[in-house]
């Protein structure tokens, strides 16, 4: 977990967090709990029979909306699964100090320790839903950059993807 960052730097970031994410996600009121919590991952998807067998994962539609002035960014992608159930346990990046997983609920969002990848289904990280929060850039990202994210799964190990930086308003399916 994020042992390297404690105390004052973390505190200062959370002051910035509201404004930046409000811009990125297009709504401010839901952000009060962003960055707090933890330990509540998994659970929601406990189906029985279909979850056996090896997972067969692929990552698609990944992008990072350009963060203002190198500030905190969101990250979105889809993990497709043609096999048995798996879990996303951790995301890191050589380009950033901290990547956390967040889950959106009806009225708020919270940091989680894992996200389920259902058998023969997909884990979607998308605007308004589950997402990644990326902060502490080594170098401020620019449009067109491709940033590495390393996704670690319970059964499938680590999958590295190159994620393009897109305009703030980009949505998958646009060119
Ligand atoms: Cu969040």
């Amino acid at each position: 977990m994020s042992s390297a960052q404690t105390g004052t730097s973390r505190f200062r970031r959370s002051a910035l967090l509201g404004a930046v994410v409000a811009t990125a996600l297009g709504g401010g009121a839901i952000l009060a709990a962003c960055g707090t919590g933890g330990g509540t991952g998994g659970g929601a998807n406990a189906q029985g029979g279909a979850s056996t067998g090896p997972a067969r994962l692929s990552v698609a539609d990944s992008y990072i909306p350009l963060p203002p002035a190198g500030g905190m960014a969101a990250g979105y992608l889809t993990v497709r699964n043609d096999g048995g159930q798996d879990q996303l346990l951790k995301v890191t990046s050589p380009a950033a100090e901290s990547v956390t997983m967040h889950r959106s609920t009806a009225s708020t969002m919270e940091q989680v320790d894992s996200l389920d990848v259902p058998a023969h289904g997909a884990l979607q990280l998308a605007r308004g839903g589950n997402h990644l929060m990326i902060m502490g850039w080594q170098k401020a990202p620019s449009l067109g950059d491709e940033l590495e994210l390393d996704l670690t799964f319970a059964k499938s190990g680590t999958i590295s993807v190159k994620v393009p930086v897109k305009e703030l308003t980009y949505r998958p399916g646009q060119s």
Side-chain angles (χ1 to χ4, degrees), residues 22-45:
T23 309
L25 303 182
I30 58 175
L31 296 167
C34 193
T36 64
T40 44
N45 213 333

PDB file of all heavy atoms in Angstrom, residues 22-45:
ATOM      1  N   ALA A  22     -13.889  17.105  -9.731  1.00  0.00           N
ATOM      2  CA  ALA A  22     -15.148  17.701 -10.158  1.00  0.00           C
ATOM      3  C   ALA A  22     -15.074  18.049 -11.634  1.00  0.00           C
ATOM      4  O   ALA A  22     -16.003  17.807 -12.397  1.00  0.00           O
ATOM      5  CB  ALA A  22     -15.445  18.948  -9.337  1.00  0.00           C
ATOM      6  N   THR A  23     -13.933  18.564 -12.052  1.00  0.00           N
ATOM      7  CA  THR A  23     -13.751  18.872 -13.461  1.00  0.00           C
ATOM      8  C   THR A  23     -13.741  17.606 -14.295  1.00  0.00           C
ATOM      9  O   THR A  23     -14.416  17.501 -15.301  1.00  0.00           O
ATOM     10  CB  THR A  23     -12.411  19.614 -13.666  1.00  0.00           C
ATOM     11  OG1 THR A  23     -12.377  20.698 -12.760  1.00  0.00           O
ATOM     12  CG2 THR A  23     -12.294  20.103 -15.074  1.00  0.00           C
ATOM     13  N   ALA A  24     -12.999  16.626 -13.836  1.00  0.00           N
ATOM     14  CA  ALA A  24     -12.818  15.415 -14.628  1.00  0.00           C
ATOM     15  C   ALA A  24     -14.108  14.622 -14.766  1.00  0.00           C
ATOM     16  O   ALA A  24     -14.375  14.038 -15.805  1.00  0.00           O
ATOM     17  CB  ALA A  24     -11.745  14.536 -14.001  1.00  0.00           C
ATOM     18  N   LEU A  25     -14.912  14.611 -13.756  1.00  0.00           N
ATOM     19  CA  LEU A  25     -16.092  13.754 -13.772  1.00  0.00           C
ATOM     20  C   LEU A  25     -17.372  14.532 -14.014  1.00  0.00           C
ATOM     21  O   LEU A  25     -18.434  13.934 -14.169  1.00  0.00           O
ATOM     22  CB  LEU A  25     -16.210  12.978 -12.453  1.00  0.00           C
ATOM     23  CG  LEU A  25     -15.004  12.114 -12.075  1.00  0.00           C
ATOM     24  CD1 LEU A  25     -15.280  11.378 -10.794  1.00  0.00           C
ATOM     25  CD2 LEU A  25     -14.660  11.136 -13.180  1.00  0.00           C
ATOM     26  N   GLY A  26     -17.282  15.837 -14.048  1.00  0.00           N
ATOM     27  CA  GLY A  26     -18.434  16.631 -14.397  1.00  0.00           C
ATOM     28  C   GLY A  26     -19.457  16.789 -13.295  1.00  0.00           C
ATOM     29  O   GLY A  26     -20.625  17.037 -13.552  1.00  0.00           O
ATOM     30  N   GLY A  27     -19.063  16.661 -12.055  1.00  0.00           N
ATOM     31  CA  GLY A  27     -20.019  16.882 -10.969  1.00  0.00           C
ATOM     32  C   GLY A  27     -19.290  16.863  -9.655  1.00  0.00           C
ATOM     33  O   GLY A  27     -18.473  15.992  -9.423  1.00  0.00           O
ATOM     34  N   GLY A  28     -19.542  17.806  -8.787  1.00  0.00           N
ATOM     35  CA  GLY A  28     -18.739  17.940  -7.588  1.00  0.00           C
ATOM     36  C   GLY A  28     -19.314  17.310  -6.352  1.00  0.00           C
ATOM     37  O   GLY A  28     -18.581  16.877  -5.479  1.00  0.00           O
ATOM     38  N   ALA A  29     -20.605  17.209  -6.249  1.00  0.00           N
ATOM     39  CA  ALA A  29     -21.219  16.876  -4.969  1.00  0.00           C
ATOM     40  C   ALA A  29     -20.893  15.471  -4.493  1.00  0.00           C
ATOM     41  O   ALA A  29     -20.928  15.187  -3.306  1.00  0.00           O
ATOM     42  CB  ALA A  29     -22.735  17.024  -5.067  1.00  0.00           C
ATOM     43  N   ILE A  30     -20.555  14.587  -5.404  1.00  0.00           N
ATOM     44  CA  ILE A  30     -20.349  13.194  -5.026  1.00  0.00           C
ATOM     45  C   ILE A  30     -18.972  12.934  -4.446  1.00  0.00           C
ATOM     46  O   ILE A  30     -18.648  11.819  -4.104  1.00  0.00           O
ATOM     47  CB  ILE A  30     -20.542  12.266  -6.234  1.00  0.00           C
ATOM     48  CG1 ILE A  30     -19.577  12.652  -7.345  1.00  0.00           C
ATOM     49  CG2 ILE A  30     -21.977  12.311  -6.693  1.00  0.00           C
ATOM     50  CD1 ILE A  30     -19.619  11.717  -8.531  1.00  0.00           C
ATOM     51  N   LEU A  31     -18.158  13.966  -4.324  1.00  0.00           N
ATOM     52  CA  LEU A  31     -16.750  13.710  -4.071  1.00  0.00           C
ATOM     53  C   LEU A  31     -16.347  13.697  -2.613  1.00  0.00           C
ATOM     54  O   LEU A  31     -15.207  13.463  -2.296  1.00  0.00           O
ATOM     55  CB  LEU A  31     -15.922  14.759  -4.798  1.00  0.00           C
ATOM     56  CG  LEU A  31     -16.115  14.635  -6.298  1.00  0.00           C
ATOM     57  CD1 LEU A  31     -15.555  15.840  -7.000  1.00  0.00           C
ATOM     58  CD2 LEU A  31     -15.455  13.385  -6.800  1.00  0.00           C
ATOM     59  N   ALA A  32     -17.266  13.929  -1.735  1.00  0.00           N
ATOM     60  CA  ALA A  32     -16.886  14.116  -0.346  1.00  0.00           C
ATOM     61  C   ALA A  32     -16.088  12.953   0.210  1.00  0.00           C
ATOM     62  O   ALA A  32     -15.142  13.141   0.956  1.00  0.00           O
ATOM     63  CB  ALA A  32     -18.128  14.343   0.493  1.00  0.00           C
ATOM     64  N   ALA A  33     -16.433  11.744  -0.168  1.00  0.00           N
ATOM     65  CA  ALA A  33     -15.793  10.584   0.431  1.00  0.00           C
ATOM     66  C   ALA A  33     -14.665  10.029  -0.418  1.00  0.00           C
ATOM     67  O   ALA A  33     -14.065   9.037  -0.067  1.00  0.00           O
ATOM     68  CB  ALA A  33     -16.817   9.494   0.682  1.00  0.00           C
ATOM     69  N   CYS A  34     -14.369  10.660  -1.510  1.00  0.00           N
ATOM     70  CA  CYS A  34     -13.336  10.149  -2.395  1.00  0.00           C
ATOM     71  C   CYS A  34     -12.000  10.145  -1.683  1.00  0.00           C
ATOM     72  O   CYS A  34     -11.606  11.127  -1.088  1.00  0.00           O
ATOM     73  CB  CYS A  34     -13.262  11.011  -3.644  1.00  0.00           C
ATOM     74  SG  CYS A  34     -12.312  10.286  -4.936  1.00  0.00           S
ATOM     75  N   GLY A  35     -11.309   9.039  -1.748  1.00  0.00           N
ATOM     76  CA  GLY A  35     -10.002   8.966  -1.131  1.00  0.00           C
ATOM     77  C   GLY A  35     -10.030   8.447   0.290  1.00  0.00           C
ATOM     78  O   GLY A  35      -8.995   8.241   0.889  1.00  0.00           O
ATOM     79  N   THR A  36     -11.179   8.186   0.806  1.00  0.00           N
ATOM     80  CA  THR A  36     -11.265   7.615   2.148  1.00  0.00           C
ATOM     81  C   THR A  36     -11.742   6.169   2.066  1.00  0.00           C
ATOM     82  O   THR A  36     -12.023   5.657   0.997  1.00  0.00           O
ATOM     83  CB  THR A  36     -12.252   8.409   3.005  1.00  0.00           C
ATOM     84  OG1 THR A  36     -13.546   8.289   2.432  1.00  0.00           O
ATOM     85  CG2 THR A  36     -11.859   9.856   3.073  1.00  0.00           C
ATOM     86  N   GLY A  37     -11.874   5.550   3.177  1.00  0.00           N
ATOM     87  CA  GLY A  37     -12.422   4.198   3.200  1.00  0.00           C
ATOM     88  C   GLY A  37     -11.377   3.166   2.859  1.00  0.00           C
ATOM     89  O   GLY A  37     -10.219   3.311   3.175  1.00  0.00           O
ATOM     90  N   GLY A  38     -11.781   2.124   2.206  1.00  0.00           N
ATOM     91  CA  GLY A  38     -10.870   1.038   1.905  1.00  0.00           C
ATOM     92  C   GLY A  38     -11.343  -0.226   2.590  1.00  0.00           C
ATOM     93  O   GLY A  38     -12.095  -0.193   3.547  1.00  0.00           O
ATOM     94  N   GLY A  39     -10.891  -1.346   2.046  1.00  0.00           N
ATOM     95  CA  GLY A  39     -11.227  -2.611   2.670  1.00  0.00           C
ATOM     96  C   GLY A  39     -12.582  -3.159   2.313  1.00  0.00           C
ATOM     97  O   GLY A  39     -12.997  -4.171   2.840  1.00  0.00           O
ATOM     98  N   THR A  40     -13.255  -2.524   1.379  1.00  0.00           N
ATOM     99  CA  THR A  40     -14.602  -2.978   1.065  1.00  0.00           C
ATOM    100  C   THR A  40     -14.702  -3.608  -0.314  1.00  0.00           C
ATOM    101  O   THR A  40     -15.768  -3.695  -0.875  1.00  0.00           O
ATOM    102  CB  THR A  40     -15.604  -1.824   1.145  1.00  0.00           C
ATOM    103  OG1 THR A  40     -15.024  -0.696   0.512  1.00  0.00           O
ATOM    104  CG2 THR A  40     -15.929  -1.517   2.572  1.00  0.00           C
ATOM    105  N   GLY A  41     -13.590  -4.001  -0.902  1.00  0.00           N
ATOM    106  CA  GLY A  41     -13.625  -4.551  -2.254  1.00  0.00           C
ATOM    107  C   GLY A  41     -14.294  -5.904  -2.310  1.00  0.00           C
ATOM    108  O   GLY A  41     -14.556  -6.532  -1.304  1.00  0.00           O
ATOM    109  N   GLY A  42     -14.537  -6.325  -3.545  1.00  0.00           N
ATOM    110  CA  GLY A  42     -15.079  -7.659  -3.731  1.00  0.00           C
ATOM    111  C   GLY A  42     -16.487  -7.785  -3.217  1.00  0.00           C
ATOM    112  O   GLY A  42     -17.223  -6.828  -3.105  1.00  0.00           O
ATOM    113  N   GLY A  43     -16.875  -9.002  -2.944  1.00  0.00           N
ATOM    114  CA  GLY A  43     -18.124  -9.219  -2.245  1.00  0.00           C
ATOM    115  C   GLY A  43     -19.360  -9.159  -3.094  1.00  0.00           C
ATOM    116  O   GLY A  43     -20.185 -10.067  -3.029  1.00  0.00           O
ATOM    117  N   ALA A  44     -19.483  -8.145  -3.914  1.00  0.00           N
ATOM    118  CA  ALA A  44     -20.736  -7.906  -4.608  1.00  0.00           C
ATOM    119  C   ALA A  44     -21.027  -8.950  -5.685  1.00  0.00           C
ATOM    120  O   ALA A  44     -22.118  -9.001  -6.205  1.00  0.00           O
ATOM    121  CB  ALA A  44     -20.725  -6.525  -5.237  1.00  0.00           C
ATOM    122  N   ASN A  45     -20.060  -9.754  -6.003  1.00  0.00           N
ATOM    123  CA  ASN A  45     -20.216 -10.575  -7.191  1.00  0.00           C
ATOM    124  C   ASN A  45     -19.993 -12.058  -6.932  1.00  0.00           C
ATOM    125  O   ASN A  45     -19.410 -12.769  -7.734  1.00  0.00           O
ATOM    126  CB  ASN A  45     -19.230 -10.089  -8.253  1.00  0.00           C
ATOM    127  CG  ASN A  45     -19.810 -10.256  -9.625  1.00  0.00           C
ATOM    128  OD1 ASN A  45     -20.642 -11.124  -9.850  1.00  0.00           O
ATOM    129  ND2 ASN A  45     -19.371  -9.422 -10.554  1.00  0.00           N
TER     130      ASN A  45
END
